[in-house]
Amino acid sequence: MAGRDITLENVAIALDRIRNGRHAQSAILLGLRGVGKTVLLNTMRRAAEGEGIIGVPIEAPEGQSLPSMLVPALRTAMLKLDRGQAAMTLAKRGLGALARFVKAFKLSFGELEASIDLGEPGIADNGDLEADLIDLIDVAGAAAAERGTALVLFIDELQYVAEHELAALITALHRARQNERPITLVAAGLPQLAGQMGKAKSYAERLFLFTSIGPLERIAATAAIVHPIEAEDCSIEAGAVDKILEVTQGYPYFLQEWGKQCWDTAERCPITAGDVDLAYPTAIAALDDSFFRVRFDRMTPSEKRYLRAMADLGAGPYSSTAIAEHLGRKPSAFGPVRASLIAKGMIYTPGYGETAFTVPLFDAFMRRIMPVMT
């Protein structure tokens, strides 16, 4: 968590305010792959749960509907709210509403389907996602208020949620805020998520606090390398740290991988610049296999060619016109390919007419994996 103290503190304060009935914006973490958004999200959830807040962890994979993700997560949360509290009734009401929601959207979740009698007719069972989600989020927030706590949806990869579902979620959270319910969202996604949320609901920029999570500054990146080594009663030379920072550019995932490979390579303390040089091929191979290749293998041949053309032009961002010209065609010819790559989370648009990789250092990987553009 080197360099992330302010972000962690801001979210902790916001969640504490929400639990105590005060206003606070929901938090959205934006950043490229490998900057540690998921780790941050999990750390925030554990910290919140340590303070008695109910955390609802959800990952939004490609192609899965929001209702199917919410149902099992909210059910677990409702059971936590209901557990050991015979006098508490709103959590039971929430479970019933969830059961009716399952039925309305024809989802499959056995235990909830069997408990359909718990629900009140007309609560989250209309079959209209926005209206039903408003009911569901509201009753969940009311149950949390009854227990004197807050309920927080921690959603990772939120950019994969379809626009109409994202709009319904934003509306439901907005209504919950108006009703002063202690329920909120802390989410993470790729940089394009801010634009997606603004497109889904124009007032999203007022409802959410968007925080950019990028590579670590030099001091924090140095600490991320040095402190774990010192904790093992070893040390690393300043020149070795400089080499690691140069090749990783401060991206947390790469710092972690290089730190591991340099530790494994070094035969004695302190770790030297020579050890970093020896670890270089192993570290690059490990990143290629574990971080880059899994994304490369999801691409079609035409998508790989488009990405390879981007890599030819340097680190980016790139002009869409320049990419098309490099491939010898008009920009309009690559509309479907570009749209598919954005949907897969491989590229995004940092500015009008611009394109950039969502994966740091992917240009160098593309040149390694495809030495010649085919």
Side-chain angles (χ1 to χ4, degrees):
M1 291 298 100
R4 308 302 191 200
D5 293 349
I6 294 175
T7 301
L8 289 167
E9 183 178 3
N10 287 342
V11 169
I13 291 171
L15 298 186
D16 198 44
R17 287 181 60 84
I18 289 167
R19 177 172 55 181
N20 287 289
R22 295 186 174 90
H23 169 77
Q25 290 174 296
S26 300
I28 308 294
L29 311 178
L30 303 174
L32 302 180
R33 304 288 188 192
V35 295
K37 301 187 300 298
T38 299
V39 175
L40 260 177
L41 209 61
N42 289 334
T43 300
M44 291 169 177
R45 177 177 56 81
R46 288 193 295 268
E49 290 173 343
E51 296 296 322
I53 291 171
I54 303 297
V56 184
I58 301 171
E59 184 175 355
E62 288 181 78
Q64 187 172 345
S65 73
L66 182 63
S68 66
M69 290 183 280
L70 282 176
V71 165
L74 282 177
R75 177 179 181 273
T76 299
M78 292 297 177
L79 290 173
K80 287 180 180 178
L81 289 169
D82 187 50
R83 188 171 298 147
Q85 298 288 325
M88 299 298 179
T89 59
L90 288 178
K92 289 183 172 63
R93 185 169 180 256
L95 283 167
L98 198 58
R100 300 195 74 84
F101 185 82
V102 166
K103 184 177 181 181
F105 288 92
K106 299 179 174 60
L107 302 173
S108 177
F109 205 78
E111 292 182 43
L112 278 172
E113 291 174 295
S115 65
I116 198 70
D117 59 298
L118 291 175
E120 298 176 27
I123 302 294
D125 61 358
N126 297 308
D128 177 274
L129 180 60
E130 185 167 296
D132 288 350
L133 205 52
I134 287 173
D135 286 345
L136 198 57
I137 294 296
D138 185 75
V139 74
E146 187 180 44
R147 289 292 300 269
T149 186
L151 196 154
V152 186
L153 305 176
F154 289 92
I155 305 182
D156 200 9
E157 304 285 10
L158 187 59
Q159 77 278 348
Y160 286 135
V161 173
E163 183 179 325
H164 74 283
E165 296 179 341
L166 193 57
L169 179 62
I170 293 169
T171 301
L173 289 166
H174 184 47
R175 184 68 60 83
R177 171 183 292 180
Q178 292 174 325
N179 292 339
E180 299 183 349
R181 304 301 194 195
I183 183 169
T184 192
L185 169 71
V186 178
L190 294 173
Q192 63 261 36
L193 177 59
Q196 291 174 250
M197 296 183 77
K199 185 179 178 183
K201 287 293 177 181
S202 59
Y203 55 78
E205 63 181 22
R206 302 193 306 273
L207 192 62
F208 302 100
L209 177 62
F210 295 96
T211 301
S212 294
I213 306 298
L216 299 178
E217 298 293 338
R218 183 178 182 84
I219 293 175
T222 299
I225 291 295
V226 172
H227 290 175
I229 293 172
E230 291 180 342
E232 297 296 329
D233 296 323
C234 188
S235 61
I236 181 170
E237 294 179 352
V241 173
D242 288 342
K243 285 198 170 190
I244 293 174
L245 298 188
E246 181 181 1
V247 73
T248 61
Q249 297 181 24
Y251 285 99
Y253 186 87
F254 302 152
L255 286 167
Q256 182 179 7
E257 188 63 55
W258 275 87
K260 174 185 183 302
Q261 298 302 332
C262 290
W263 176 269
D264 290 346
T265 297
E267 295 183 354
R268 61 184 64 85
C269 294
I271 297 172
T272 67
D275 293 324
V276 178
D277 290 336
L278 288 173
Y280 188 97
T282 306
I284 290 295
L287 285 169
D288 283 358
D289 291 341
S290 66
F291 188 74
F292 295 123
R293 187 65 187 246
V294 67
R295 293 169 172 83
F296 178 81
D297 288 344
R298 298 174 59 232
M299 305 299 109
T300 66
S302 58
E303 290 168 350
K304 291 175 181 177
R305 190 165 184 265
Y306 191 85
L307 296 182
R308 183 61 177 80
M310 289 172 59
D312 263 356
L313 300 176
Y318 318 88
S319 159
S320 299
T321 300
I323 299 169
E325 287 178 350
H326 189 64
L327 289 166
R329 299 178 70 182
K330 295 180 178 180
S332 58
F334 296 101
V337 171
R338 192 167 179 272
S340 177
L341 287 168
I342 290 173
K344 289 180 178 179
M346 288 303 304
I347 62 174
Y348 74 108
T349 54
Y352 182 76
E354 291 184 330
T355 301
F357 288 112
T358 62
V359 182
L361 310 184
F362 204 74
D363 58 313
F365 167 75
M366 289 301 302
R367 291 190 292 271
R368 289 194 299 273
I369 199 72
M370 293 176 65
V372 177
M373 189 169 67
T374 57

